[in-house]
Amino acid sequence: MFKLTSLNLNGIRSATSKGVEAWIAQSRPDCICVQEIKAQSADMQGRFEELGGLKGYFHFAVKKGYSGVGIYARHEPSDVVIGYGSSEFDTEGRYVELRFDTPARRLSIISAYFPSGSSGEERQLAKFRFLEEFHPHLMRLKAEREFILCGDINIAHQQIDLKNWRSNQKNSGFLPEERAWMTKLLHISDPAGGLVDVYRQLQPETTDACYTWWSNRGQAYANNVGWRLDYHLATPAIAALARTEEIYKAQKFSDHAPITVGYELSL
């Protein structure tokens, strides 16, 4: 079983101070995709190149203390792709792809961090630009290889994916345009879709149990007023190999919870 975890760290230094490194060592994923490292290369040296016995590969933002993604892996990749070729967003450290290719198979594991539009209209427009250019990238990739994209997508797709859907219909993360983007991406028969929301494949109806993010305002975490923002999105052949899922909430390393899926495959 290939055990793959995704976690928005909300700062790697903060998350490690809350015990995430020991948890990784204990839970023993084969790969953990992380987002919002909030560090630069110099900050990682001698400290965070490895976590829990896994070697890290990173895409850092140019801006200090901002964004940044990584993948910690037990297996050596055949190739590492940093950024997805965006003149605007590759400076923000939002995409790293590890390829595990063999003569019989082309497979990628991707860690991605989608922009949030919650800080205002300017960032929401940037989020829309990101979605517009990222969709064709995923379609090109799907035509060439199998992949699993893990990450903080910053979109709750359906009403069952957040607690207070009625009051959030005009808020970033649950806007009609964002949800339509996800619907298109996940459309079974549309040539411009065809990816699979792996968690929903395994748990099609969960509500309160599905949340992966809680606001720091009020008592959102204590009252489980959450959103499902963290996903495994996979090509159909790989999604069909998903067997188990877990959203780990026994410890809190971040404002996000880690989501782990077990796949019946080997690297």
Side-chain angles (χ1 to χ4, degrees):
M1 192 74 77
F2 176 70
K3 193 173 178 183
L4 177 60
T5 298
S6 186
L7 172 61
N8 180 313
L9 296 168
N10 196 18
I12 193 165
R13 286 162 287 204
S14 171
T16 49
S17 74
K18 296 171 184 174
V20 76
E21 192 169 7
W23 176 76
I24 293 168
Q26 181 186 6
S27 64
R28 290 187 58 80
D30 292 284
C31 248
I32 177 165
C33 297
V34 293
Q35 302 87 38
E36 273 205 282
I37 295 170
K38 293 185 176 179
Q40 317 307 121
S41 181
D43 304 316
M44 307 289 281
Q45 287 171 15
R47 177 63 184 93
F48 299 118
E49 292 104 332
E50 293 189 2
L51 277 189
L54 307 180
K55 183 181 177 183
Y57 305 83
F58 310 102
H59 184 201
F60 301 111
V62 171
K63 182 180 173 182
K64 288 188 175 182
Y66 178 72
S67 190
V69 295
I71 302 177
Y72 289 93
R74 199 171 300 285
H75 302 82
E76 191 78 23
S78 57
D79 197 11
V80 181
V81 180
I82 307 296
Y84 67 97
S86 169
S87 58
E88 179 175 6
F89 295 104
D90 278 356
T91 60
E92 296 186 359
R94 298 193 176 275
Y95 184 95
V96 60
E97 174 187 345
L98 300 191
R99 295 183 169 180
F100 298 94
D101 292 355
T102 69
R105 179 202 66 202
R106 303 175 84 189
L107 172 67
S108 291
I109 307 295
I110 299 162
S111 181
Y113 176 45
F114 286 36
S116 167
S118 57
S119 64
E121 186 180 359
E122 184 181 335
R123 285 310 293 170
Q124 184 60 47
L125 291 173
K127 184 178 185 179
F128 285 142
R129 290 195 301 275
F130 175 89
L131 295 177
E132 187 176 356
E133 72 175 27
F134 198 60
H135 181 272
H137 168 73
L138 293 178
M139 292 302 102
R140 285 191 297 271
L141 206 64
K142 183 169 73 82
E144 297 169 1
R145 57 180 47 247
E146 306 292 346
F147 67 83
I148 308 166
L149 182 149
C150 291
D152 177 0
I153 306 302
N154 267 315
I155 300 169
H157 182 211
Q158 302 174 82
Q159 293 173 3
I160 58 172
D161 291 326
L162 70 167
K163 187 74 167 183
N164 295 327
W165 68 267
R166 285 184 178 86
S167 59
N168 278 296
Q169 293 177 87
K170 294 184 180 179
N171 290 335
S172 182
F174 198 60
L175 293 174
E177 299 95 326
E178 297 169 335
R179 297 172 64 202
W181 185 90
M182 285 291 293
T183 298
K184 181 179 180 180
L185 188 71
L186 301 172
H187 197 287
I188 297 169
S189 58
D190 191 331
L195 294 187
V196 178
D197 178 347
V198 177
Y199 177 86
R200 279 292 173 221
Q201 176 180 269
L202 296 169
Q203 296 287 353
E205 296 178 355
T206 54
T207 53
D208 291 2
C210 80
Y211 307 142
T212 62
W213 176 81
W214 300 262
S215 169
N216 289 318
R217 297 174 189 160
Q219 295 291 309
Y221 189 77
N223 297 324
N224 198 27
V225 180
W227 297 55
R228 186 171 76 98
L229 299 180
D230 301 86
Y231 291 73
H232 285 226
L233 301 175
T235 49
I238 300 295
L241 303 175
R243 298 289 179 263
T244 62
E245 53 70 31
E246 180 192 19
I247 297 170
Y248 181 77
K249 301 175 188 175
Q251 293 169 269
K252 199 168 187 281
F253 311 117
S254 162
D255 51 353
H256 292 253
I259 175 169
T260 301
V261 175
Y263 296 86
E264 205 169 86
L265 65 86
S266 58
L267 297 186

